[in-house]
Amino acid sequence: MLGAETYGLVCSRARSVRSAVAYAAALLQPLPLGLIGNIAFSLGLAALVVLFESRLRETAVTHVLGALIGGAIGLGLARAIGAGLFWADTGDRRVEFLHSFILIALPYLGLMIGGKHGEWLEPGRFVSLFRTAGSLRRFKILDTSVIIDGRIADVCETGFVDGTLVVPQFVLKELQLVADSSDSLKRNRGRRGLEILQRIQKMAGVDVHVSDIDFPAVKEVDLKLIELARTMPGKIVTNDFNLNKVAQLRGVEVLNVNELANSLKPVVLPGEIMKVFILKEGKEYNQGVAYLDDGTMVVVDHARKMISKTIDIVVTSVLQTTAGKMIFGRYIEVGAAPHALVTSPAIERERPGPVQAQSS
């Protein structure tokens, strides 16, 4: 919705247009309708102009420019075709109709086609016309969740992200709404997202492009991202599980930061010895819980009495879940032989208790 100040400015501009057109009509009186009829006619024209301007206000500049260029090309083609028919009998009604039809149809087609494909006038898309086909799909479209998450900035600093990072205007608007929220938690998340974007823009070797492409008919931001990825074309960078699934169902490629983080976690195998800090009590009897530096949960049997201590454990099993990995181990008593504590595969299959408890 428009704010009070913006609404007042729009109304002021509309009154100015109506007044100017009405004054011109009263002064010139182009129609034989008298003073009142000409003023009424001019006010109707002014209303159409204001309505047209209100529709264009939400349209991207590239689409408006594309429509103007397409219309001009269509008009030029119509004039060229009309000049090419100099040999035809201009007095024939059929020839006159053909001239009129061409003069109306070609500019209209140019307007529609140019307005629909105006995104090609964006600098990133225009330059891509002169690149190889392989570099066309190097656009990475950031969604709101991955910007607020912040890990994408760390990935960019490592140099593993190539191509152009695209930040749509509707994502920036959503970030601004979150940053202006009355809820302090949401407000901090929104401000963090804006700071992450500024950090990425200042990085050397990272190309960030703010896209004005919008889809007014589509209300949800996630669906707008999918349509933008189809249009550009490009890949969506997110950590939203639902957006990931919907985009894949619609044939759009997705780069999930959570999947990247899970794939980079260290690999541990049953039987390995590792040091962990027991942070709290587990759900099952006599269990302790620890966390690795990357956030991986470690559930340790017989470690309840070792809370707030760093101990050696032997890994008994590793469970892969949708949220990441979970490691199960057993506390190595002082003086015990590590090999004696390793559970054999047969025994581990018969003992699914802790795994079931934690996964449920």
Side-chain angles (χ1 to χ4, degrees):
M1 297 179 61
L2 293 175
E5 184 177 351
T6 305
Y7 180 75
L9 182 61
V10 171
C11 292
S12 176
R13 290 178 178 176
R15 285 194 297 268
S16 301
V17 171
R18 288 195 296 266
S19 300
V21 176
Y23 175 77
L27 188 65
L28 300 175
Q29 296 190 19
L31 300 177
L33 301 175
L35 180 62
I36 302 300
N38 279 279
I39 292 177
F41 176 73
S42 65
L43 290 177
L45 289 179
L48 289 177
V49 172
V50 172
L51 178 63
F52 188 64
E53 185 270 339
S54 65
R55 294 296 182 88
L56 288 179
R57 191 183 301 124
E58 302 297 331
T59 305
V61 177
T62 53
H63 288 269
V64 176
L65 185 59
L68 292 176
I69 294 176
I73 293 175
L75 182 60
L77 288 175
R79 296 294 300 272
I81 293 174
L85 296 176
F86 65 91
W87 49 268
D89 183 8
T90 55
D92 191 336
R93 291 295 182 91
R94 292 173 298 180
V95 175
E96 291 181 3
F97 176 77
L98 180 61
H99 277 250
S100 302
F101 176 75
I102 293 174
L103 195 60
I104 294 172
L106 290 182
Y108 172 77
L109 290 176
L111 280 170
M112 294 297 102
I113 295 174
K116 183 177 180 180
H117 299 283
E119 68 274 359
W120 282 98
L121 295 175
E122 291 193 357
R125 294 296 300 273
F126 187 75
V127 172
S128 68
L129 292 175
F130 304 95
R131 294 176 179 170
T132 60
S135 62
L136 185 62
R137 295 190 64 87
R138 292 177 60 190
F139 291 103
K140 310 294 191 304
I141 304 171
L142 305 183
D143 84 327
T144 309
S145 64
V146 81
I147 295 174
I148 294 177
D149 178 80
R151 288 178 292 179
I152 186 64
D154 299 326
V155 176
C156 291
E157 281 184 334
T158 61
F160 280 97
V161 176
D162 61 347
T164 302
L165 295 180
V166 179
V167 183
Q169 278 285 2
F170 52 83
V171 169
L172 285 179
K173 289 181 181 179
E174 188 178 41
L175 273 177
Q176 185 176 359
L177 289 175
V178 175
D180 293 338
S181 173
S182 58
D183 189 336
S184 60
L185 180 60
K186 290 184 177 180
R187 185 166 60 248
N188 292 335
R189 286 166 57 84
R191 292 176 179 176
R192 169 181 166 82
L194 295 175
E195 292 173 357
I196 291 296
L197 280 181
Q198 290 179 345
R199 177 184 166 190
I200 295 175
Q201 282 184 319
K202 294 178 182 179
M203 293 180 186
V206 179
D207 183 19
V208 179
H209 172 64
V210 178
S211 174
D212 292 329
I213 301 177
D214 199 356
F215 304 92
V218 181
K219 300 302 181 183
E220 297 183 12
V221 174
D222 288 355
L223 297 181
K224 286 177 182 281
L225 284 167
I226 294 174
E227 293 299 325
L228 180 60
R230 284 177 170 178
T231 302
M232 297 200 71
K235 302 178 182 179
I236 299 176
V237 184
T238 183
N239 58 7
D240 188 328
F241 179 81
N242 295 327
L243 174 58
N244 190 351
K245 294 301 181 184
V246 174
Q248 289 178 352
L249 289 174
R250 299 199 175 194
V252 175
E253 295 185 65
V254 178
L255 301 177
N256 194 312
V257 176
N258 287 335
E259 293 179 358
L260 175 64
N262 290 334
S263 66
L264 294 178
K265 289 182 178 181
V267 178
V268 293
L269 300 174
E272 291 187 5
I273 308 297
M274 59 190 308
K275 283 185 177 292
V276 295
F277 178 79
I278 304 299
L279 184 64
K280 61 181 181 179
E281 180 182 351
K283 291 183 178 180
E284 297 296 324
Y285 172 75
N286 207 19
Q287 279 184 346
V289 176
Y291 293 92
L292 302 183
D293 293 337
D294 59 6
T296 302
M297 176 184 286
V298 183
V299 180
V300 186
D301 288 338
H302 308 301
R304 180 179 180 182
K305 59 184 179 182
M306 305 304 292
I307 293 177
S308 300
K309 295 181 180 180
T310 301
I311 61 175
D312 290 325
I313 68 168
V314 59
V315 177
T316 56
S317 63
V318 179
L319 177 65
Q320 179 69 53
T321 67
T322 56
K325 293 180 180 178
M326 291 180 61
I327 300 174
F328 295 88
R330 183 174 297 177
Y331 170 47
I332 301 177
E333 299 286 349
V334 178
H339 65 273
L341 298 174
V342 180
T343 307
S344 65
I347 297 177
E348 194 61 39
R349 284 194 298 269
E350 296 175 0
R351 182 189 165 274
V355 177
Q356 293 177 349
Q358 290 300 124
S359 60
S360 61

